[in-house]
Amino acid sequence: MKVYNIAIDGPSGAGKSTVAKILAGRLGIMYLDTGALYRAVGLKAMRCGWDENDEKVAALLEDTDVSVRFENGLQKVYLDGEDVTEAIRLGGVSEYGSRFSALPSVRRALLGMQRKAASEASCVLDGRDIGTCVLPDAEYKFFLTASVDNRAKRRYEELKNKGQSVTLEKVREDIVARDERDTNRPVAPLRKADDAIEINSDDMSADEVAERMIGYIRK
């Protein structure tokens, strides 16, 4: 069977990961959470106190091993041999991942890994620059968006359910700041690919978004 890829881009909190998992499950293909790779780098930066100096980070990455494994159909992320799948979802790591993902050295280090995974098996990839940079020739491209308020509410509920102590106001501030960084970073900024289909998820459930995407794919 021919390998094909589905790229889902969009801002933080739009529901990309949830939709991508549903889509992959219904199509019987792999889901590659590319944001998890950047969070892994962010986790190491946070733990080791890295400065956002591109040359220094490039050197530090030479002694850093970030890898993805699929175990029982689920993606596991390893950092220097440690399973950090849960650790990268804790408070503060996302911000570090966002900040360090703007560095050219980090994007270069992880670009090859993402492309290699996508070349070996049909999969859904979600992120900020999948359709524009990582896989510009992906067969199917979507840009998933939603209002800032709705994205903040979703992320707030997600963090609360994980037992984290957060406020809706702080989550909203973080999302606005994340949008600013992602949209204005000099390397691979967040933007809709010219040939991507835009979907606003404000009034749609994740299942409804996935079904709409499947409808486009089947056409």
Side-chain angles (χ1 to χ4, degrees):
M1 183 180 293
K2 181 182 180 294
V3 171
Y4 68 93
N5 299 126
I6 301 170
I8 303 178
D9 290 310
S12 177
K16 300 184 300 297
S17 296
T18 301
V19 169
K21 291 174 185 175
I22 295 172
L23 196 60
R26 292 185 183 174
L27 295 174
I29 61 178
M30 289 292 188
Y31 162 59
L32 179 61
D33 178 4
T34 62
L37 304 177
Y38 291 100
R39 281 191 173 95
V41 172
L43 178 61
K44 184 158 186 178
M46 186 172 71
R47 286 176 171 178
C48 300
W50 288 1
D51 293 324
E52 292 170 59
N53 179 295
D54 192 51
E55 289 186 7
K56 290 181 180 178
V57 171
L60 292 168
L61 286 173
E62 292 180 2
D63 295 319
T64 300
D65 177 41
V66 178
S67 61
V68 170
R69 304 176 196 170
F70 290 98
E71 301 173 5
N72 298 319
L74 299 176
Q75 175 177 299
K76 296 285 188 177
V77 181
Y78 287 82
L79 173 63
D80 298 328
E82 174 193 353
D83 182 352
V84 294
T85 307
E86 296 299 325
I88 61 174
R89 301 296 174 182
L90 299 178
V93 178
S94 179
E95 180 184 350
Y96 269 82
S98 174
R99 283 164 44 193
F100 280 82
S101 70
L103 299 179
S105 59
V106 176
R107 305 205 75 81
R108 282 195 303 270
L110 300 182
L111 180 62
M113 181 188 300
Q114 296 171 74
R115 287 179 172 170
K116 183 176 184 295
S119 71
E120 294 175 345
S122 296
C123 57
V124 184
L125 297 85
D126 70 307
R128 305 292 189 278
D129 63 342
I130 307 301
T132 55
C133 180
V134 178
L135 297 177
D137 297 322
E139 288 81 357
Y140 309 102
K141 298 179 185 178
F142 298 97
F143 190 84
L144 185 59
T145 187
S147 68
V148 170
D149 286 340
N150 276 335
R151 289 189 282 131
K153 288 176 185 177
R154 292 171 186 169
R155 182 57 52 82
Y156 172 70
E157 292 299 331
E158 177 187 348
L159 294 174
K160 270 186 59 179
N161 290 336
K162 290 181 178 179
Q164 297 191 40
S165 178
V166 292
T167 65
L168 179 58
E169 181 181 2
K170 180 62 168 62
V171 172
R172 191 183 191 284
E173 289 176 0
D174 290 345
I175 282 182
V176 171
R178 179 77 182 267
D179 287 349
E180 177 71 16
R181 287 195 301 270
D182 290 344
T183 303
N184 296 301
R185 67 190 182 202
V187 180
L190 167 67
R191 69 176 179 81
K192 175 181 172 291
D194 293 337
D195 54 346
I197 296 169
E198 182 169 341
I199 298 176
N200 186 301
S201 65
D202 275 339
D203 300 315
M204 300 173 68
S205 68
D207 284 304
E208 289 171 334
V209 173
E211 280 304 313
R212 179 170 294 186
M213 290 181 176
I214 289 173
Y216 283 115
I217 290 168
R218 286 177 175 163
K219 287 180 182 178

